[in-house]
Amino acid sequence: MPTLLGSRDAEWLENEYLQARANSIELIETLEPEDCVIQTIPEVSPTKWHLAHVTWFFERFCLMEHDDSYRPFNEDYLFLFNSYYHSVGKMHLRSARGLLSRPLLSEVLAYRNHVDSAMRAFIDQHHADPAVSFKVVLGVHHEQQHQELLLTDIKHVFFSNPLAPQFQTQSPNYKPVEVAHEFIDHSGGEAEVGAQETGFCFDNETPRHRVLLNDYALGNRLVTNAEYREFMGAGGYRDSQLWLADGWAHINEQNWNRPMYWSEETDREFTLHGWQPIEPTNPVTHISLYEADAFARWAGARLPSEQEWETAAAGVTVTGNTLDQRRFHPSAPQSSSRHGLLQLWGDVWEWTASPYAPYPRFKTLAGSLGEYNGKFMANQTVVRGGSCASWASHLRASYRSFFYPHDRWQFLGLRMAKDVP
Amino acid sequence: MPTLLGSRDAEWLENEYLQARANSIELIETLEPEDCVIQTIPEVSPTKWHLAHVTWFFERFCLMEHDDSYRPFNEDYLFLFNSYYHSVGKMHLRSARGLLSRPLLSEVLAYRNHVDSAMRAFIDQHHADPAVSFKVVLGVHHEQQHQELLLTDIKHVFFSNPLAPQFQTQSPNYKPVEVAHEFIDHSGGEAEVGAQETGFCFDNETPRHRVLLNDYALGNRLVTNAEYREFMGAGGYRDSQLWLADGWAHINEQNWNRPMYWSEETDREFTLHGWQPIEPTNPVTHISLYEADAFARWAGARLPSEQEWETAAAGVTVTGNTLDQRRFHPSAPQSSSRHGLLQLWGDVWEWTASPYAPYPRFKTLAGSLGEYNGKFMANQTVVRGGSCASWASHLRASYRSFFYPHDRWQFLGLRMAKDVP
Amino acid sequence: MPTLLGSRDAEWLENEYLQARANSIELIETLEPEDCVIQTIPEVSPTKWHLAHVTWFFERFCLMEHDDSYRPFNEDYLFLFNSYYHSVGKMHLRSARGLLSRPLLSEVLAYRNHVDSAMRAFIDQHHADPAVSFKVVLGVHHEQQHQELLLTDIKHVFFSNPLAPQFQTQSPNYKPVEVAHEFIDHSGGEAEVGAQETGFCFDNETPRHRVLLNDYALGNRLVTNAEYREFMGAGGYRDSQLWLADGWAHINEQNWNRPMYWSEETDREFTLHGWQPIEPTNPVTHISLYEADAFARWAGARLPSEQEWETAAAGVTVTGNTLDQRRFHPSAPQSSSRHGLLQLWGDVWEWTASPYAPYPRFKTLAGSLGEYNGKFMANQTVVRGGSCASWASHLRASYRSFFYPHDRWQFLGLRMAKDVP
Amino acid sequence: MPTLLGSRDAEWLENEYLQARANSIELIETLEPEDCVIQTIPEVSPTKWHLAHVTWFFERFCLMEHDDSYRPFNEDYLFLFNSYYHSVGKMHLRSARGLLSRPLLSEVLAYRNHVDSAMRAFIDQHHADPAVSFKVVLGVHHEQQHQELLLTDIKHVFFSNPLAPQFQTQSPNYKPVEVAHEFIDHSGGEAEVGAQETGFCFDNETPRHRVLLNDYALGNRLVTNAEYREFMGAGGYRDSQLWLADGWAHINEQNWNRPMYWSEETDREFTLHGWQPIEPTNPVTHISLYEADAFARWAGARLPSEQEWETAAAGVTVTGNTLDQRRFHPSAPQSSSRHGLLQLWGDVWEWTASPYAPYPRFKTLAGSLGEYNGKFMANQTVVRGGSCASWASHLRASYRSFFYPHDRWQFLGLRMAKDVP
């Protein structure tokens, strides 16, 4: 167990649980059953699968592990909705999730209801057991992660359809805001990073430990569409000297010459509100690490290390364009405050220069949940700060998410960093 | 126009049309909207796509070509539901048909209704024009072809789901019948093959022409599961000497060692009624040309040429285990008659030894419909006789269907042939 | 045994053998050891492999089968140089032939010498056995086939090298000759095709049998570079209506827009003499069946069936631009005669409209040599007439070679055909 | 320029140069021209290519950049033998290096002689220019890197040949030595890593900087074949819990169940001396990062970080089983000394837990040589200590090499590490 949540009050725990569960249902309000079965690329899972998998997580790790009398809703679901936990059994092939018309959406919702009933009784009975209360909270954060994926995945599904369906039919509610870019200095020296001893965290944020930093500067805001377009106009995608070798190979193989969801004419981008004009002051998003890195090099800057980012973000209140705003798209800073480090939270995950690796003396969670994070510590890169599809309650300074350098289907963008002489 | 249908009576034409349209709707009775969007392999199209494409066929080639006042139901559908007619515009990528949650099934049904209304008026007005009546009948036969595909495709969709949904929930209504295999001699000499001048035919059945045949013999019935299992037990899949070189390469690359839908234990097969015990006296099905050819060689026989098949079938009434029986699976001969060439019609398409090639002096249909058949005359092999998913009204002795030698997802089986000294 | 060669005179047989063997050595005169190991694509075999494989053929099917005292030169060679005869043992992977630096060229030449010595004694002793003399002659024709492949393969090897080495350093010795294209009529009716009962033939040319032909016309000469360039200029590669569906898919996947060895500027072509200007009156070559078929359709013609070709070629003396001329490239007709069917022999193999299939009552050779031809009778198309890389002694009217529709690395071209009303 | 080499004495510089050049020639003593052209996998380059590329490096970056009068030996070689320096021009496709029979080995040797002559004059004239002397030394180290690759690549070439040629025909000269495994403690705290200011280094070793380490322990020797076989026997390759997720996917896709060069029976391994019995006390080699990591986890240990390794190695004399011994294979410690950290240098590169990333404030070399190292800082992992194919003069404590986690064709092994409480 990475954190000392202690035994939690039953009511608090049930509220957390029910809120997370209700949030998932809210997110599918505009979707039809047919929408919920599509898998466009292996990274994308069908909506239905997300709804079932997060349910399986509670069923498998809470109900089945701590309640001998519990019987699975459907034995086949243990196979179908296990994502990657080899220690609890075999699983359906990830890339084949879109081949399943059954269970129907209605059946998945019945599964959710069944597990919700069982979980309410379960929480009532077991909340004083800290191992249980930790798992319930972990399950809540797990469901929040999949709510983000549900959004980015349905975005890709609708993007792949020439009819360009809209997840949200009303107009996006953000306004253009110009904020001059400037670098803000931070002193180096010895710093502490990693999760604090209070509140929830994932195992990969532990143990808290000291690091040495040089003096550095971070951009006061995210890189914008306007700035990224300038990079493109300057031939950024054609200049091999700006790119990591693997990135150069990748963009040429894939014929990439713009962010993932930009139209060929680079005037519009696909959003959860359908095709929209590209707003210059919004943060650029849906770019790979390779593109973020090339942009920063072109701009005479670099990506921040995750330690630099975390040290600068420590103590900054988690507020911004998060899922709580239901804006469903990154935006220029909408608040009146225009100074300090803007857009740390929400909007887009910020690519760092840090390969995803274990912290010194890192230990995975005991048991099957040890497969949650640790085994992915190869070939991926840390991103920080959450996105417009993350709940504020899900984020904190020490939070580490991670993607492959070529991944683009998430809300991914960048903030520049610099050495300070 | 390959045949002289003449101008048809409006009522007859409308009846043909409405019957075909109603048949499609009958076939989806047991399906849920989610079932209708899945594409498991490029060869398989979603149910929804079939329902829309056959509608597009009438809209595009009847309404849009012959009625200036007609406006397409949805301009995007002209792109989405064109299959392979380059001459009438661009088309959606075949392998991406399963990425589309929209249009919803309900929207596709509305499309069907819209076109049906328009077609009824259209037939009323234009039935006397032989070019029109031919196209309406062609569209009917086209829809019948897609009804067969709809069935074989949903079968693959359900097979790909570990939950193994059933298209038909009642038990299959056939009984085991042992019929001794024997060869029936046919005299060779000069024969005529190809479509007669009456009734509908596709262009690839024309022109009727003379051929020279040696004396030959055909099996009195289809090869059964029991016989095929014997071939397997004798090591048929491990003996390179039995196989065409491309077949040997293919079965080794794909690790094929049994018919497509047989369970690993070879005791059950997946059917439209779900997993069922393999009935020994039923015809073997879902085998490739390579497997049919290897079986025949192992049995000391060969596949018939399409000319041999057609000559033997000429004049035999089209009756048998066709879609009209709603049996949805090949079966042993169910009628009391046990002599003559059994199972010529329905049950399974019979692989022939004949590459699919144009008949001497073959001409494609004029205009866009010239793309219907002719351009596929490479790399495919002729199959004959229809299957349990073909309507009897759709079949005739001169009918030529065709698949790639490695195709297995259709109801494909074989009848043996032999030289007669 | 397809033909009755009878028992042959020992001297005649040894001469045939030694001539074929010497011809192979003559062909590698200009090559360096490094040239002889390269495999650029799976279809291409290294020169060294050809030299060894044809030797293995004699060792395996003559010496090892008929002489109990013979010991293989090197047991490993039985594996390395078996091409596709499963019945005599396992074999090295075809696509891995280019991974072998050993045996060295010098070791392969030693292998050849060893087998040559053994074969001379063997012929002396066994020539009266018709099974043996047939196999020796078969081995000679087999070596002639590989001499052709050796040339087309080294051409591809040199083409794949930016240094563009020349197999022949002197200039090509042909001159431009304009011959007006005209169609020459042939009467249809009943005809006989297949090998005559005298002289050598492969099993796939048998049995001789009757066919029915309509009246038809054949082009008096091969299609030229000038004509093909006209097709290209008219947008032939961009008009889907001209193409077989598989061909259209293939040229778009491969980005084909010209014959294989033409430069991007379409002014030069790569030849065994290196890069040379494209001579307009030379036959177009290195085109696939798809391209030949599209050209013919564009020109309002079609490809001949193999029966039409054979019937027209029957009785025409085998003479022309064959390997005997050592011209190493197809050319306009160089002789003074300008009438009749020109260029039937040599220059380029002529694509036909005939899928490669067994003749009625075809039987493969007995034993392992049954794998020689029959198992390739799927997915390939018959070509006729030989090329500038075939020896005249290797050709005859009934000779059937075959390639996949997408193959281009051989000397492949076309002659047009037409129906005669 | 990463280090201050200062202006070097001409004689010293020329000696360094000539020694490195002579070493390359020594390494190909046993090879035939045919051996030098083969490329078995994209990672492997033909011997001939290595010999030419290192020559191109001197020609391109010394002669062409600093001597206006120099004319390239062959303009085409600038294209053919550029590896990945986009800033100096286009280059031949890496995976196509094995398609080139020309230039012949003899021509490449002539190229080497030509450049050697020019370089001797060049060194004489320019040695006092520190930019030049640095580049010459860089070129020497570059050639040393390719000498290692030349050996590992020809090993793969010979391994891929069923004839199993031997690079060295005499027996390997090492003896079995049992050394008990024990962990040796190292104190943590603040440490300095990165290149010292004296002597040659690559840019990726700079700048030297401080890091914080916890107390840790390193294995006194490399993991042996015997230990690795124990891991295999315990089902290591079948237990998903031991593996990184990407590793588990990779070994299952590739069907890996043993080190790359071990025979299926796991009794022999392929070496530069051909197939040899696996010596239990020798270090295990030709394993991927995934396998090294899984082994360490199974053994209750972990891989060292590169900082831990470097700190422990700092000050330890570079001596051991390096290429200077011409042993061509990793071995148990052959010296009498049996205490301290054994086998730090030579034998096998040691996988670390450190993703290959820039040091804080890292700057690439100016100009084209900036492409040498920096652009590979993604998706790769640092390895340390050199191998039996590295020259001792090429190694130092700060030296960082790097490979992809799945790479196995180099001499790659592991030393275990542990936290000290």
Side-chain angles (χ1 to χ4, degrees), chain A residues 86-87 210 212 214-215 240-241 244-246 248 290 355 360-361 363 371 375-376 378-379 404-405 419-420, chain D residues 86-87 210 212 214-215 240-241 244-246 248 290 355 360-361 363 371 375-379 404-405 419-420:
Chain A
H86 295 285
S87 52
R210 292 176 304 143
L212 290 179
N214 293 317
D215 295 344
S240 66
Q241 301 304 303
L244 288 162
D246 285 356
W248 183 247
Y290 298 132
R361 310 210 159 192
K363 297 279 174 278
E371 298 191 56
K375 71 181 180 184
F376 301 107
N379 304 316
Y404 287 101
D419 295 333
V420 170
Chain D
H86 295 286
S87 52
R210 291 176 304 142
L212 290 177
N214 292 318
D215 296 343
S240 65
Q241 301 304 302
L244 288 162
D246 285 356
W248 183 247
Y290 298 132
R361 311 211 159 190
K363 297 279 174 274
E371 297 191 57
K375 70 181 181 184
F376 301 108
M377 289 173 174
N379 304 317
Y404 287 101
D419 294 334
V420 170

Side-chain angles (χ1 to χ4, degrees), chain B residues 215 245-246 361 375 379 404 420, chain C residues 215 245-246 361 379 404 420:
Chain B
D215 296 344
D246 285 355
R361 312 211 158 189
K375 71 182 180 183
N379 303 315
Y404 287 102
V420 170
Chain C
D215 296 344
D246 286 355
R361 312 213 158 188
N379 303 316
Y404 287 101
V420 171

Side-chain angles (χ1 to χ4, degrees), chain D residues 210-285:
Chain D
R210 291 176 304 142
V211 294
L212 290 177
L213 297 179
N214 292 318
D215 296 343
Y216 66 103
L218 292 183
N220 62 323
R221 59 159 171 75
L222 298 169
V223 169
T224 63
N225 285 327
E227 287 160 345
Y228 199 82
R229 194 197 298 278
E230 209 181 325
F231 161 72
M232 288 164 59
Y237 279 88
R238 295 186 306 274
D239 180 0
S240 65
Q241 301 304 302
L242 297 174
W243 296 81
L244 288 162
D246 285 356
W248 183 247
H250 196 80
I251 66 167
N252 282 289
E253 273 164 33
Q254 304 287 326
N255 290 317
W256 284 358
N257 61 7
R258 59 187 190 277
M260 186 184 200
Y261 286 132
W262 285 25
S263 66
E264 210 169 330
E265 303 75 18
T266 73
D267 56 341
R268 295 180 311 140
E269 64 176 326
F270 192 77
T271 74
L272 284 164
H273 303 78
W275 285 100
Q276 298 288 338
I278 293 173
E279 166 47 47
T281 67
N282 278 357
V284 67
T285 186

